[in-house]
Protein backbone atom coordinates (compact mmCIF):
# COMPACT_ATOMS: atom_id res chain seq x y z
CA UNK A 1 0.00 0.00 0.00
CA UNK A 2 1.39 3.39 -0.95
CA UNK A 3 1.88 5.89 1.83
CA UNK A 4 1.06 9.58 1.90
CA UNK A 5 2.72 11.28 -1.04
CA UNK A 6 3.87 14.88 -0.96
CA UNK A 7 5.55 17.06 -3.50
CA UNK A 8 7.82 18.79 -3.90
CA UNK A 9 10.18 17.45 -1.24
CA UNK A 10 12.20 20.64 -1.16
CA UNK A 11 11.43 24.17 -2.25
CA UNK A 12 13.52 27.32 -2.09
CA UNK A 13 11.85 30.59 -2.94
CA UNK A 14 12.42 34.29 -2.39
CA UNK A 15 10.20 36.15 0.01
CA UNK A 16 7.00 37.58 -1.42
CA UNK A 17 6.81 34.76 -3.97
CA UNK A 18 3.92 32.28 -3.98
CA UNK A 19 4.40 28.57 -3.31
CA UNK A 20 2.16 25.51 -3.37
CA UNK A 21 2.45 22.08 -1.83
CA UNK A 22 0.59 18.99 -2.95
CA UNK A 23 -0.53 15.96 -0.95
CA UNK A 24 -2.06 12.66 -1.98
CA UNK A 25 -3.34 10.76 1.08
CA UNK A 26 -3.59 7.03 1.55
CA UNK A 27 -6.44 5.60 -0.47
CA UNK A 28 -9.64 5.44 1.55
CA UNK A 29 -8.50 7.85 4.25
CA UNK A 30 -11.19 10.49 4.59
CA UNK A 31 -9.33 12.70 7.04
CA UNK A 32 -6.42 14.82 5.85
CA UNK A 33 -4.21 17.12 7.89
CA UNK A 34 -1.69 19.79 7.07
CA UNK A 35 0.93 20.48 9.74
CA UNK A 36 3.80 22.91 10.00
CA UNK A 37 6.93 21.74 11.80
CA UNK A 38 9.74 24.07 12.78
CA UNK A 39 13.16 22.73 13.61
CA UNK A 40 13.21 21.22 17.08
CA UNK A 41 9.46 21.58 17.51
CA UNK A 42 6.50 19.27 17.25
CA UNK A 43 4.06 19.50 14.35
CA UNK A 44 1.43 22.24 14.58
CA UNK A 45 -1.89 21.71 12.88
CA UNK A 46 -2.78 24.17 10.15
CA UNK A 47 -5.96 22.62 8.78
CA UNK A 48 -7.91 19.38 8.92
CA UNK A 49 -10.29 18.05 6.29
CA UNK A 50 -13.04 15.50 6.59
CA UNK A 51 -13.56 14.54 2.97
CA UNK A 52 -13.71 17.86 1.13
CA UNK A 53 -14.81 19.90 4.13
CA UNK A 54 -12.33 21.91 6.18
CA UNK A 55 -13.52 21.12 9.71
CA UNK A 56 -10.72 22.87 11.59
CA UNK A 57 -8.79 25.74 10.06
CA UNK A 58 -8.51 27.82 13.21
CA UNK A 59 -4.70 27.78 13.12
CA UNK A 60 -4.38 28.61 9.42
CA UNK A 61 -3.09 32.18 8.83
CA UNK A 62 -5.77 33.05 6.34
CA UNK A 63 -4.24 36.29 5.18
CA UNK A 64 -1.57 34.40 3.28
CA UNK A 65 -2.34 30.67 3.54
CA UNK A 66 -5.05 28.82 1.70
CA UNK A 67 -5.86 25.17 1.18
CA UNK A 68 -8.23 23.10 -0.82
CA UNK A 69 -9.23 19.49 -1.11
CA UNK A 70 -11.33 19.18 -4.20
CA UNK A 71 -13.19 15.88 -4.56
CA UNK A 72 -12.07 14.89 -1.07
CA UNK A 73 -8.83 13.22 -2.16
CA UNK A 74 -5.73 15.26 -3.08
CA UNK A 75 -5.06 18.51 -1.30
CA UNK A 76 -3.07 21.63 -2.03
CA UNK A 77 -1.68 24.12 0.48
CA UNK A 78 -0.67 27.53 -0.83
CA UNK A 79 1.23 30.44 0.64
CA UNK A 80 1.01 33.83 -1.06
CA UNK A 81 3.11 35.81 -0.45
CA UNK A 82 5.72 33.81 1.44
CA UNK A 83 7.62 35.39 4.32
CA UNK A 84 10.97 34.48 5.83
CA UNK A 85 9.23 33.05 8.88
CA UNK A 86 7.39 30.52 6.75
CA UNK A 87 10.57 28.47 6.36
CA UNK A 88 9.69 25.10 7.87
CA UNK A 89 8.69 21.56 6.99
CA UNK A 90 5.10 21.20 5.88
CA UNK A 91 3.72 17.78 6.70
CA UNK A 92 0.61 16.19 5.30
CA UNK A 93 -1.06 13.32 7.13
CA UNK A 94 -4.14 11.20 6.65
CA UNK A 95 -6.11 8.88 8.88
CA UNK A 96 -8.88 6.33 8.44
CA UNK A 97 -12.41 7.29 9.39
CA UNK A 98 -12.94 6.85 13.12
CA UNK A 99 -9.23 6.36 13.84
CA UNK A 100 -7.91 9.90 13.89
CA UNK A 101 -5.12 8.92 16.27
CA UNK A 102 -3.64 6.65 13.63
CA UNK A 103 -2.21 9.38 11.47
CA UNK A 104 0.06 8.43 8.62
CA UNK A 105 2.44 11.21 7.75
CA UNK A 106 3.98 12.01 4.42
CA UNK A 107 7.68 12.80 4.05
CA UNK A 108 7.06 16.53 4.19
CA UNK A 109 8.07 19.49 2.07
CA UNK A 110 10.98 21.48 3.37
CA UNK A 111 10.42 25.12 2.48
CA UNK A 112 13.21 27.67 2.61
CA UNK A 113 12.29 31.31 2.07
CA UNK A 114 15.25 33.59 1.35
CA UNK B 1 -3.37 27.61 27.14
CA UNK B 2 -3.03 23.96 26.20
CA UNK B 3 0.47 22.57 26.44
CA UNK B 4 2.37 19.34 26.16
CA UNK B 5 5.84 19.19 27.68
CA UNK B 6 8.34 16.43 27.03
CA UNK B 7 11.48 15.63 28.93
CA UNK B 8 14.32 15.23 28.59
CA UNK B 9 14.81 17.23 25.40
CA UNK B 10 17.61 14.90 24.36
CA UNK B 11 19.21 11.76 25.61
CA UNK B 12 22.28 9.73 24.66
CA UNK B 13 22.53 6.11 25.79
CA UNK B 14 24.40 2.95 24.84
CA UNK B 15 22.90 -0.11 23.24
CA UNK B 16 21.25 -2.33 25.80
CA UNK B 17 20.29 0.51 28.13
CA UNK B 18 16.70 1.12 29.20
CA UNK B 19 15.27 4.62 28.73
CA UNK B 20 12.20 6.38 30.04
CA UNK B 21 10.75 9.34 28.20
CA UNK B 22 8.28 11.65 29.88
CA UNK B 23 5.31 13.59 28.65
CA UNK B 24 3.19 15.87 30.82
CA UNK B 25 0.18 17.82 29.64
CA UNK B 26 -2.34 20.48 30.51
CA UNK B 27 -5.23 20.53 28.10
CA UNK B 28 -8.93 21.20 28.22
CA UNK B 29 -11.15 18.16 27.61
CA UNK B 30 -8.48 15.50 27.27
CA UNK B 31 -9.43 12.55 25.10
CA UNK B 32 -6.27 10.54 24.43
CA UNK B 33 -2.48 10.66 24.41
CA UNK B 34 -0.40 9.48 21.50
CA UNK B 35 3.23 8.58 21.01
CA UNK B 36 4.99 8.85 17.66
CA UNK B 37 8.50 8.03 16.51
CA UNK B 38 10.07 10.46 14.06
CA UNK B 39 13.22 9.44 12.29
CA UNK B 40 14.66 11.45 9.41
CA UNK B 41 11.33 11.91 7.76
CA UNK B 42 7.79 11.89 9.08
CA UNK B 43 6.37 10.63 12.40
CA UNK B 44 5.06 7.10 12.67
CA UNK B 45 2.37 6.11 15.12
CA UNK B 46 3.36 4.02 18.16
CA UNK B 47 0.63 4.04 20.82
CA UNK B 48 -2.67 5.57 21.78
CA UNK B 49 -3.55 5.75 25.47
CA UNK B 50 -6.94 6.65 26.84
CA UNK B 51 -7.18 4.99 30.26
CA UNK B 52 -4.99 5.37 33.31
CA UNK B 53 -2.86 2.50 34.48
CA UNK B 54 -3.23 0.28 31.44
CA UNK B 55 0.10 -0.45 29.86
CA UNK B 56 0.39 -0.60 26.11
CA UNK B 57 3.22 -2.77 24.86
CA UNK B 58 4.84 -3.42 21.52
CA UNK B 59 8.05 -5.41 21.57
CA UNK B 60 10.61 -3.50 23.59
CA UNK B 61 8.43 -0.40 23.81
CA UNK B 62 5.77 0.17 26.42
CA UNK B 63 3.78 3.14 27.61
CA UNK B 64 1.43 4.03 30.40
CA UNK B 65 -0.82 6.97 31.18
CA UNK B 66 -1.65 8.64 34.50
CA UNK B 67 -4.71 10.86 34.03
CA UNK B 68 -4.68 12.01 37.63
CA UNK B 69 -1.15 13.35 37.50
CA UNK B 70 -1.46 14.26 33.80
CA UNK B 71 1.52 12.48 32.39
CA UNK B 72 2.65 9.52 30.37
CA UNK B 73 5.91 7.64 30.07
CA UNK B 74 7.38 5.72 27.18
CA UNK B 75 9.84 3.00 28.08
CA UNK B 76 12.29 1.38 25.71
CA UNK B 77 14.19 -1.62 27.01
CA UNK B 78 17.38 -3.13 25.55
CA UNK B 79 17.80 -0.13 23.26
CA UNK B 80 19.25 -0.58 19.79
CA UNK B 81 20.82 1.93 17.41
CA UNK B 82 17.65 1.71 15.33
CA UNK B 83 15.75 3.27 18.21
CA UNK B 84 17.58 6.55 17.59
CA UNK B 85 14.89 9.06 16.69
CA UNK B 86 12.79 11.90 18.02
CA UNK B 87 9.87 10.63 20.09
CA UNK B 88 6.83 12.87 19.94
CA UNK B 89 3.99 12.95 22.41
CA UNK B 90 0.65 14.38 21.33
CA UNK B 91 -2.57 14.93 23.21
CA UNK B 92 -5.97 14.76 21.61
CA UNK B 93 -8.45 17.20 23.09
CA UNK B 94 -12.07 17.89 22.30
CA UNK B 95 -12.61 21.62 21.90
CA UNK B 96 -15.57 22.05 19.61
CA UNK B 97 -13.84 19.60 17.36
CA UNK B 98 -10.91 17.37 18.17
CA UNK B 99 -7.40 18.82 18.19
CA UNK B 100 -3.93 17.37 18.47
CA UNK B 101 -1.34 19.25 20.49
CA UNK B 102 2.19 17.98 20.01
CA UNK B 103 5.14 18.31 22.36
CA UNK B 104 8.56 19.34 21.08
CA UNK B 105 9.84 15.77 21.29
CA UNK B 106 12.71 13.94 22.96
CA UNK B 107 15.71 13.28 20.74
CA UNK B 108 17.13 9.87 21.59
CA UNK B 109 20.51 8.75 20.32
CA UNK B 110 21.61 5.17 20.95
CA UNK B 111 25.32 4.52 20.57
CA UNK B 112 26.69 1.15 19.49
Amino acid sequence: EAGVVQSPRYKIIEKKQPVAFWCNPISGHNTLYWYLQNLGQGPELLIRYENEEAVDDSQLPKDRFSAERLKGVDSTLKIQPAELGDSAVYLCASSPTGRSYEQYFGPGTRLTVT
Amino acid sequence: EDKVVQSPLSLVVHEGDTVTLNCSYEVTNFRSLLWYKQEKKAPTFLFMLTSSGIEKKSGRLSSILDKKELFSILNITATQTGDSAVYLCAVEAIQGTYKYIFGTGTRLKVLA
Side-chain angles (χ1 to χ4, degrees), chain B residues 8-109:
Chain B
L9 291 180
S10 64
L11 191 57
V12 180
V13 300
H14 289 91
E15 273 193 317
D17 289 349
T18 294
V19 298
T20 298
L21 311 182
N22 304 289
C23 175
S24 63
Y25 61 90
E26 291 181 32
V27 300
T28 304
N29 296 330
F30 171 91
R31 183 175 176 184
S32 67
L33 186 143
L34 315 170
W35 284 97
Y36 289 85
K37 178 182 181 181
Q38 184 170 28
E39 296 176 86
K40 290 185 178 179
K41 297 180 179 178
T44 54
F45 172 74
L46 293 175
F47 297 114
M48 179 185 75
L49 302 151
T50 56
S51 301
S52 281
I54 298 176
E55 185 183 53
K56 289 284 183 86
K57 198 169 173 64
S58 176
R60 296 176 294 102
L61 277 66
S62 63
S63 183
I64 197 160
L65 173 67
D66 185 328
K67 290 168 71 174
K68 182 179 178 184
E69 300 298 329
L70 308 183
F71 78 91
S72 173
I73 59 172
L74 175 68
N75 279 320
I76 309 175
T77 59
T79 52
Q80 303 171 357
T81 55
D83 296 327
S84 297
V86 173
Y87 290 83
L88 291 168
C89 171
V91 170
E92 180 188 14
I94 303 296
Q95 298 168 359
T97 180
Y98 64 85
K99 292 183 178 294
Y100 290 93
I101 304 112
F102 281 80
T104 56
T106 293
R107 181 174 297 277
L108 173 66
K109 186 169 179 63

Side-chain angles (χ1 to χ4, degrees), chain A:
Chain A
E1 178 183 272
V4 176
V5 180
Q6 289 188 248
S7 69
R9 293 294 314 281
Y10 304 91
K11 188 75 176 178
I12 300 174
I13 61 171
E14 294 183 348
K15 63 181 180 182
K16 300 185 182 180
Q17 295 300 305
V19 64
F21 314 124
W22 176 80
C23 173
N24 179 241
I26 291 174
S27 177
H29 283 193
N30 295 330
T31 310
L32 183 146
Y33 314 75
W34 281 104
Y35 288 92
L36 176 156
Q37 186 173 26
N38 287 302
L39 189 65
Q41 302 293 315
E44 299 172 34
L45 182 69
L46 291 172
I47 189 167
R48 173 169 65 89
Y49 283 93
E50 295 287 349
N51 299 304
E52 66 273 12
E53 182 184 359
V55 295
D56 185 358
D57 63 356
S58 57
Q59 301 302 311
L60 189 72
K62 299 181 184 61
D63 57 335
R64 297 184 300 107
F65 286 65
S66 64
E68 61 182 13
R69 192 185 183 197
L70 301 176
K71 301 181 182 179
V73 182
D74 295 2
S75 177
T76 303
L77 178 70
K78 297 178 182 177
I79 308 174
Q80 183 172 7
E83 297 179 352
L84 295 176
D86 296 331
S87 295
V89 175
Y90 291 83
L91 293 167
C92 178
S94 68
S95 63
T97 301
R99 292 180 5 223
S100 60
Y101 55 89
E102 199 174 325
Q103 295 182 35
Y104 294 82
F105 285 79
T109 296
R110 181 176 295 279
L111 173 68
T112 301
V113 182
T114 62

